[in-house]
Amino acid sequence: MIESPSGIGKSLATKIFQQPFYKSHKLANSNLPPNMDAPALFTSNSTPEALEHSLSGTKGFFSCVSSEQGLFNSLFGLSYGDGKQSNNDLVLNGFDAGYMDSKRITRIGYSGQVGGAISLFAQPGSIEKVLNASNGIGLSERFLMLSEPHNLGKRNHLENNTIDISLLEQYSDKCKKFTAIETPIDFEECNELEIG
């Protein structure tokens, strides 16, 4: 989770980093029948209940990415909570591939391992929302948090700051290793990644 002031290009940065995955996802799902939708690659705004409902189609995986605080407002029940505790089990279990077995009267629940990631690059206030929603349940401990300082009065608008295209190409090449697949796989079949 990164907080940064308005007007610095959070949406553009998010789009640039997602683009290689969207290209790969589109290519992998180009053979689907016209009446069949491919599973969403990234969710930008979802309630925990709707996200839980999507798990059957993804075999328990989810990815939430946004440059707007609306993601947290919906996901942590801040838009409609009225002081009630939000259902954070999916997010909590998704952090370390925990097992979840939910039963609901009004919708189909999910039973199995869940794995997911949440990435938010939005305005100041995002970190405070997670800390408040955590309320001692460990939600905030599942996030790396960074708050960038304001650049008001520090930028030189006469300088031409261009994006290094060669770095974007290198990034895109690295992302090709993580090509999207047409059919979701089970957790046990996933490749293990290491930071090295």
Side-chain angles (χ1 to χ4, degrees):
M1 172 186 357
I2 302 174
E3 284 186 348
S4 199
S6 297
I8 65 142
K10 294 181 289 293
S11 297
L12 176 62
T14 302
K15 181 180 175 183
I16 287 171
F17 285 111
Q18 288 178 308
Q19 200 61 41
F21 295 100
Y22 279 128
K23 285 181 183 176
S24 178
H25 186 254
K26 184 177 181 180
L27 180 65
N29 291 289
S30 61
N31 296 326
L32 289 177
N35 60 342
M36 185 176 174
D37 291 331
L41 189 56
F42 301 111
T43 300
S44 62
N45 191 311
S46 176
T47 63
E49 294 81 11
L51 193 58
E52 182 183 311
H53 184 71
S54 73
L55 295 178
S56 295
T58 64
K59 293 200 175 185
F61 293 99
F62 67 90
S63 178
C64 300
V65 180
S66 182
S67 57
E68 302 296 339
Q69 288 187 23
L71 171 62
F72 281 3
N73 291 341
S74 298
L75 195 58
F76 302 139
L78 304 175
S79 296
Y80 57 88
D82 295 331
K84 298 176 188 169
Q85 277 296 320
S86 180
N87 177 8
N88 294 316
D89 285 1
L90 175 57
V91 174
L92 295 170
N93 285 302
F95 176 75
D96 57 358
Y99 185 83
M100 185 172 162
D101 187 10
S102 62
K103 305 284 189 246
R104 301 290 186 258
I105 291 176
T106 57
R107 61 185 161 80
I108 297 172
Y110 180 76
S111 180
Q113 270 186 293
V114 293
I118 301 170
S119 178
L120 183 75
F121 186 21
Q123 305 81 6
S126 306
I127 292 174
E128 187 176 349
K129 286 183 181 196
V130 171
L131 293 174
N132 289 337
S134 185
N135 201 23
I137 61 170
L139 183 64
S140 61
E141 286 80 3
R142 283 157 169 84
F143 286 91
L144 296 174
M145 302 176 198
L146 175 67
S147 184
E148 293 185 317
H150 210 292
N151 288 325
L152 191 60
K154 297 177 186 173
R155 292 182 284 184
N156 183 350
H157 294 283
L158 299 176
E159 288 180 3
N160 185 7
N161 297 316
T162 58
I163 297 172
D164 187 342
I165 300 301
S166 67
L167 288 177
L168 294 180
E169 289 170 354
Q170 288 177 38
Y171 173 73
S172 185
D173 287 342
K174 298 285 185 192
C175 291
K176 287 178 184 173
K177 295 179 183 178
F178 309 107
T179 55
I181 52 174
E182 293 180 41
T183 307
I185 60 175
D186 289 318
F187 185 82
E188 296 79 22
E189 298 174 52
C190 291
N191 292 325
E192 190 172 318
L193 302 176
E194 294 180 2
I195 298 174

